Amino acid sequence: MGIRIRKKIADSMMILLLAGMLAGCNGEGAQETISEEAKTPLVDIEIQKQQREAARVEPMADLLKDHYGDYQEKGGEIAFVSDGVVMDGNYNEVIYEGVQMYALAAGVSFSYYNVEEDNLEGHVDTVENAIVNNAKVVVCAGYDFQEAVGELQNVYPDISFLLIDGVPVDTDGEPLEIEDNVHCVSFKEEESGYLAGYMAVLEGYRNLGFIGGKEEPPVIRYGYGYLQGIDDAARELELEDVTVNYWYAGTFQSSEEICKEAERWYEEGTEVIFACGGFLYESVLEAARRENGLLIGVDVDQNERSQYFLTSAVKDIANAVVISLDDYFAEGGKWSEAFAGENVRYGVEDNCTGIPVLETEWKFQRVTMEKFYEVYTQVRQGEKTVSEEIEERPQVSVAVKYL
């Protein structure tokens, strides 16, 4: 009985992942559904949307139920370590969902640990705490764990590390050789930023903004992709009046300084601000409320949080975590040759970058979903190129004011 139930959960997980690859991650398979909806009465479209939402939520809710007590406060074979609140409704939570989805379906114990001190020592201590408590594979959330993994990958050669959005570095921030017990996952954020910027200009917005958190590679890629998308759309429409304010706030937390800066931008005519990084969106959102502006979310679909979100530049982190953990356990507790010591970047070709389309409210009034898929396909097929260069600012013709 237990095996049959476990298999049912595993089958549900695979169905959910396939659905994500075909639709939830903006896959090509959604195009036929969209074109049919264009011919369907609005009432029927709303019913179909509710049915899709129910189909998405119910399997996810079942997947995240701990039927067998696989979650352990300490001692899980898979350990998720984060430098903030795990259930943050954002970056950490989607990584944790990936851990849960795999562990609960495969019957593997898992735990999570939070960093107490936000520095190298605190990150190292948290990882070592997980290892002392019998973790075999440690999933590290984000760029801030790069130094810790760089320090520990040789100290614990029998422990496997999954590093999200980073590579091992030394204390000077210089990249180190990735050892075979480390697998790194990153994303082509520039593609998501590009699509968000492109759609914003096609929608009719001419004065845009970007507020990033810390000046780190994922944030920079989002921002530079955003500028490229804005520029290409402006060229397509032959516009000469598009402007962009661009600023790194130096933090992923909300602050009064960020709120005041965003408020000033809105007052001076900025229509849409891409709020890129952790909780800083809360400050931009407050400014948008005060000045009736709009913002673009990041990493996950933030539309449900407020009517002021136009869209979000997203990446399917949970799916990448599941793929990675499946590789590790399929190889008997180690990374395969294709994953060991490698940094794999996921993008549109993997259906893992873009903007939300199906399982969200479409806020665009002028831009159709068909137009989005046209541009998306052009990026996917290389007809529109998005540079991943972050060492130099993108060469664009629109007016960008770097602050």
Side-chain angles (χ1 to χ4, degrees):
M1 177 64 71
I3 294 175
R4 286 200 297 271
I5 294 174
R6 185 74 77 181
K7 184 178 185 301
K8 180 179 179 182
I9 298 172
D11 290 344
S12 296
M13 185 183 79
M14 291 309 300
I15 291 170
L16 183 65
L17 290 178
L18 287 172
M21 288 187 284
L22 293 175
C25 295
N26 309 320
E28 292 179 336
Q31 290 186 21
E32 293 184 4
T33 302
I34 294 301
S35 61
E36 287 302 312
E37 283 189 351
K39 307 173 185 177
T40 306
L42 291 176
V43 173
D44 291 342
I45 290 175
E46 182 61 29
I47 292 173
Q48 290 173 10
K49 181 179 178 182
Q50 292 173 359
Q51 290 172 340
R52 286 197 305 268
E53 183 66 17
R56 182 182 72 86
V57 171
E58 290 174 8
M60 175 64 79
D62 187 56
L63 286 173
L64 300 184
K65 288 180 181 177
D66 191 359
H67 297 278
Y68 299 99
D70 293 315
Y71 167 73
Q72 298 179 12
E73 187 172 348
K74 291 184 177 181
E77 187 171 353
I78 303 172
F80 173 52
V81 295
S82 72
D83 59 357
V85 177
V86 171
M87 306 307 289
D88 61 358
N90 205 332
Y91 185 80
N92 287 338
E93 187 167 333
V94 292
I95 297 176
Y96 187 52
E97 282 184 357
V99 171
Q100 288 177 290
M101 287 166 62
Y102 184 84
L104 294 173
V108 180
S109 61
F110 64 100
S111 305
Y112 66 82
Y113 303 81
N114 289 325
V115 169
E116 294 185 3
E117 295 184 21
D118 189 15
N119 53 38
L120 174 58
E121 183 178 357
H123 288 80
V124 168
D125 287 347
T126 304
V127 173
E128 289 190 318
N129 185 28
I131 294 172
V132 167
N133 283 289
N134 298 315
K136 302 302 180 185
V137 55
V138 182
V139 181
C140 301
Y143 192 82
D144 287 343
F145 279 92
Q146 291 187 124
E147 288 185 33
V149 174
E151 182 172 316
L152 298 175
Q153 62 179 351
N154 290 310
V155 177
Y156 298 99
D158 296 329
I159 301 298
S160 294
F161 298 91
L162 173 58
L163 178 56
I164 310 297
D165 282 328
V167 295
V169 300
D170 61 22
T171 53
D172 293 323
E174 294 299 320
L176 296 169
E177 180 179 352
I178 306 174
E179 300 297 336
D180 286 346
N181 60 328
V182 177
H183 175 58
C184 302
V185 167
S186 59
F187 298 85
K188 298 178 181 180
E189 292 93 351
E190 65 275 6
E191 295 174 342
S192 298
Y194 179 94
L195 290 165
Y198 202 108
M199 294 301 110
V201 173
L202 291 190
E203 181 66 6
Y205 298 109
R206 301 293 178 259
N207 301 306
L208 302 108
F210 174 86
I211 297 181
K214 296 179 182 179
E215 196 169 351
E216 298 173 351
V219 177
I220 299 172
R221 285 194 291 265
Y222 270 128
Y224 286 2
Y226 182 61
L227 292 179
Q228 293 175 70
I230 291 170
D231 192 55
D232 279 2
R235 290 174 183 271
E236 177 182 322
L237 298 177
E238 299 182 346
L239 301 174
E240 296 182 356
D241 59 345
V242 177
T243 64
V244 187
N245 284 335
Y246 196 102
W247 177 51
Y248 296 109
T251 178
F252 292 128
Q253 302 303 314
S254 60
S255 72
E256 185 61 25
E257 178 189 7
I258 296 173
C259 185
K260 287 182 177 180
E261 185 69 7
E263 190 173 359
R264 182 177 68 82
W265 289 9
Y266 286 129
E267 288 174 348
E268 294 176 353
T270 298
E271 299 161 292
V272 182
I273 297 175
F274 183 4
C276 184
F279 290 102
L280 73 79
Y281 82 87
E282 294 177 346
S283 300
V284 181
L285 177 56
E286 179 57 31
R289 289 193 183 107
R290 295 175 185 176
E291 299 298 327
N292 198 32
L294 292 173
L295 67 159
I296 293 171
V298 72
D299 288 338
V300 300
D301 182 7
Q302 295 181 306
N303 176 67
E304 63 181 16
R305 297 178 189 177
S306 173
Q307 63 180 339
Y308 294 98
F309 280 96
L310 175 65
T311 188
S312 298
V314 301
K315 53 189 184 184
D316 194 349
I317 304 172
N319 190 29
V321 171
V322 171
I323 292 169
S324 301
L325 291 175
D326 186 57
D327 177 89
Y328 170 84
F329 284 99
E331 288 293 310
K334 63 178 182 179
W335 302 119
S336 68
E337 183 176 343
F339 279 39
E342 297 294 333
N343 178 22
V344 176
R345 293 192 70 207
Y346 293 95
V348 294
E349 70 274 19
D350 310 293
N351 301 306
C352 278
T353 53
I355 65 173
V357 178
L358 292 182
E359 306 300 342
T360 192
E361 180 182 355
W362 187 255
K363 297 283 189 68
F364 297 97
Q365 301 298 312
R366 298 183 183 179
V367 181
T368 64
M369 292 183 185
E370 286 84 359
K371 179 60 178 179
F372 164 76
Y373 279 116
E374 177 188 322
V375 177
Y376 179 87
T377 301
Q378 290 172 334
V379 174
R380 184 181 181 121
Q381 295 178 348
E383 296 174 21
K384 292 186 182 296
T385 58
V386 188
S387 174
E388 63 182 24
E389 173 63 48
I390 62 173
E391 296 301 322
E392 296 183 2
R393 294 170 176 172
Q395 298 299 307
V396 295
S397 58
V398 296
V400 182
K401 182 178 181 180
Y402 294 96
L403 302 174

